[in-house]
Amino acid sequence: MDKIMNQVLKENTIGIWKLDGNQLYGNDCFLDLIGVPKEMDAQACLKFHLEHVHPEDQEQFGEYVRKLSEERTEIVYRFLHPEKGVMMIRCSGKKMEDGTIAGIHQDISDIVRLEKDKILETYLAETNEKLRNQNVAQNDYYKEILDELPCGVFAYTVKEHKIVHLNKRALDMFHIDSLEKAQCKMRSIFEKFEYPDSTTNERLIALRKQDNSVDFEVIINPKETYEVHALAKSKVFMNPDHERIIITVFLDISNMVMLKKALEQAKEGSAAKSAFLFNMSHDLRTPLNAIIGFSELMKTHWDDQEVSRNYLNKN
């Protein structure tokens, strides 16, 4: 289970860190996200991280660090990775009972890029990671982390369709209030998936026999009041018992889809308004041109009343 959950965190580019005085520790994913070698000592790691916070975000980041010693808090800031360049990072943390400060470090660059390129709305995924004390069972620890993710996580065995994990966000998306009910309604859950791309279903079926991954778009509970539009990724993993497990991560983009439709309707309304004004202008311009023309002719024959009266009658 630990291996699977670590893989989920890695797939979602989430690193776990702990600050103890002037020493910064992190798991492999965290060290990779900030671009330091695993053998770097904790004190040098902290210095490296602080030096690579974007200069324009240094003051905001300093305020965030000060608040961490008092309350749970989070920040979105830019980080200068030595190889990847500027990254958008969501970082949250809180003070632990032993006096250290722990939290998560998530790369949300792709999400921000998706919002800018496809949806035209700034969307910052809300991620509130919660670290448990060391005496908490490791499995429960990872489950709690997954329940705090802003995206849905759904994991089940390929052979028996046994649910390994279904976090709170996924339960909300499926409109089901417990894992037990979800297990009983596995078939109906999949029946309420609608795929805009007609090839998606075939690719997901093929995934059951391949060690691969599938990116797709899905509408969950279509035409219902609780309809959800999501971007998803399914990937096959092998658990410690050598069972094939499919883990799917769902990112809810319903609000962005609604915004896109609203923008399209606004554009259509603007186009109709422009067409109306163009036609109205044309209808007014045609008789006005004639009136102005005859008026100019009257001016040139002003002394000849009969000719001027003739032009006036034509108007």
Side-chain angles (χ1 to χ4, degrees):
M1 186 67 179
D2 292 355
K3 182 178 179 182
I4 293 172
M5 295 310 165
N6 272 319
Q7 189 64 38
V8 171
L9 294 175
K10 186 176 181 181
E11 285 289 322
N12 287 276
T13 58
I14 298 175
I16 299 175
W17 55 266
K18 182 176 77 171
L19 181 63
D20 187 359
N22 64 348
Q23 296 182 316
L24 178 62
Y25 303 92
N27 64 356
D28 291 349
C29 185
F30 172 76
L31 297 177
D32 180 62
L33 283 173
I34 67 172
V36 300
K38 296 177 183 178
E39 59 271 15
M40 178 179 286
D41 68 76
Q43 190 170 348
C45 184
L46 176 61
K47 181 180 179 182
F48 179 92
H49 180 269
L50 294 177
E51 290 176 346
H52 285 75
V53 174
H54 194 285
E56 295 179 7
D57 295 342
Q58 286 281 354
E59 183 176 350
Q60 180 187 8
F61 189 82
E63 181 62 25
Y64 162 73
V65 173
R66 285 189 290 272
K67 285 184 178 180
L68 279 174
S69 61
E70 302 172 359
E71 59 183 347
R72 175 174 180 162
T73 186
E74 67 173 33
I75 186 177
V76 174
Y77 68 98
R78 289 166 291 180
F79 183 79
L80 304 178
H81 192 282
E83 296 178 0
K84 300 176 183 178
V86 180
M87 300 170 64
M88 290 297 297
I89 299 298
R90 178 180 289 278
C91 187
S92 69
K94 72 171 186 177
K95 189 173 183 179
M96 309 302 288
E97 291 184 358
D98 62 1
T100 62
I101 298 173
I104 63 101
H105 177 102
Q106 181 182 17
D107 177 10
I108 60 171
S109 304
D110 289 341
I111 296 176
V112 173
R113 193 175 299 114
L114 171 67
E115 294 154 3
K116 290 181 179 178
D117 295 344
K118 296 185 177 181
I119 310 301
L120 304 177
E121 181 190 35
T122 302
Y123 170 75
L124 295 176
E126 296 181 357
T127 307
N128 297 312
E129 296 297 335
K130 190 175 183 180
L131 295 179
R132 302 283 302 272
N133 295 328
Q134 292 184 357
N135 61 339
V136 176
Q138 196 72 357
N139 285 355
D140 291 338
Y141 166 74
Y142 281 116
K143 286 180 180 179
E144 186 168 346
I145 288 179
L146 292 178
D147 279 340
E148 294 294 330
L149 291 176
C151 50
V153 179
F154 183 26
Y156 62 92
T157 60
V158 174
K159 187 176 180 180
E160 299 179 355
H161 281 192
K162 180 181 178 182
I163 297 178
V164 176
H165 189 69
L166 190 62
N167 73 344
K168 290 180 181 178
R169 190 70 189 94
L171 285 170
D172 291 341
M173 288 180 172
F174 298 159
H175 202 63
I176 296 176
D177 56 18
S178 71
L179 191 149
E180 291 74 22
K181 288 185 180 180
Q183 184 66 71
C184 295
K185 297 181 178 181
M186 278 282 284
R187 184 181 182 85
S188 62
I189 289 176
F190 292 123
E191 288 176 347
K192 293 182 179 180
F193 283 7
E194 183 178 291
Y195 307 111
D197 185 343
S198 59
T199 66
T200 299
N201 195 48
E202 293 181 6
R203 291 187 291 134
L204 289 173
I205 292 175
L207 185 64
R208 299 174 181 276
K209 297 181 181 180
Q210 301 172 356
D211 293 330
N212 205 343
S213 64
V214 175
D215 294 285
F216 59 97
E217 183 179 351
V218 61
I219 302 173
I220 304 169
N221 299 312
K223 299 181 177 60
E224 300 287 349
T225 55
Y226 41 85
E227 175 181 287
V228 174
H229 290 253
L231 295 178
K233 181 172 185 176
S234 290
K235 189 174 179 63
V236 175
F237 295 96
M238 197 73 71
N239 71 5
D241 296 325
H242 302 289
E243 289 181 294
R244 289 166 59 79
I245 292 177
I246 291 182
I247 297 180
T248 303
V249 178
F250 299 89
L251 176 64
D252 188 347
I253 60 168
S254 301
N255 291 337
M256 292 183 280
V257 170
M258 291 176 61
L259 175 62
K260 184 179 180 182
K261 289 181 179 179
L263 289 173
E264 290 173 350
Q265 291 175 356
K267 289 179 181 178
E268 291 175 0
S270 178
K273 180 180 177 182
S274 298
F276 171 78
L277 292 176
F278 175 81
N279 292 332
M280 180 64 74
S281 175
H282 180 269
D283 292 343
L284 289 173
R285 193 163 53 245
T286 300
L288 284 175
N289 287 340
I291 293 171
I292 293 171
F294 283 120
S295 298
E296 291 295 328
L297 290 173
M298 288 175 64
K299 286 172 61 178
T300 60
H301 298 84
W302 193 254
D303 295 333
D304 190 333
Q305 293 186 3
E306 184 177 348
V307 174
S308 296
R309 189 179 298 108
N310 182 45
Y311 288 139
L312 182 61
N313 290 333
K314 290 181 182 296
N315 283 337

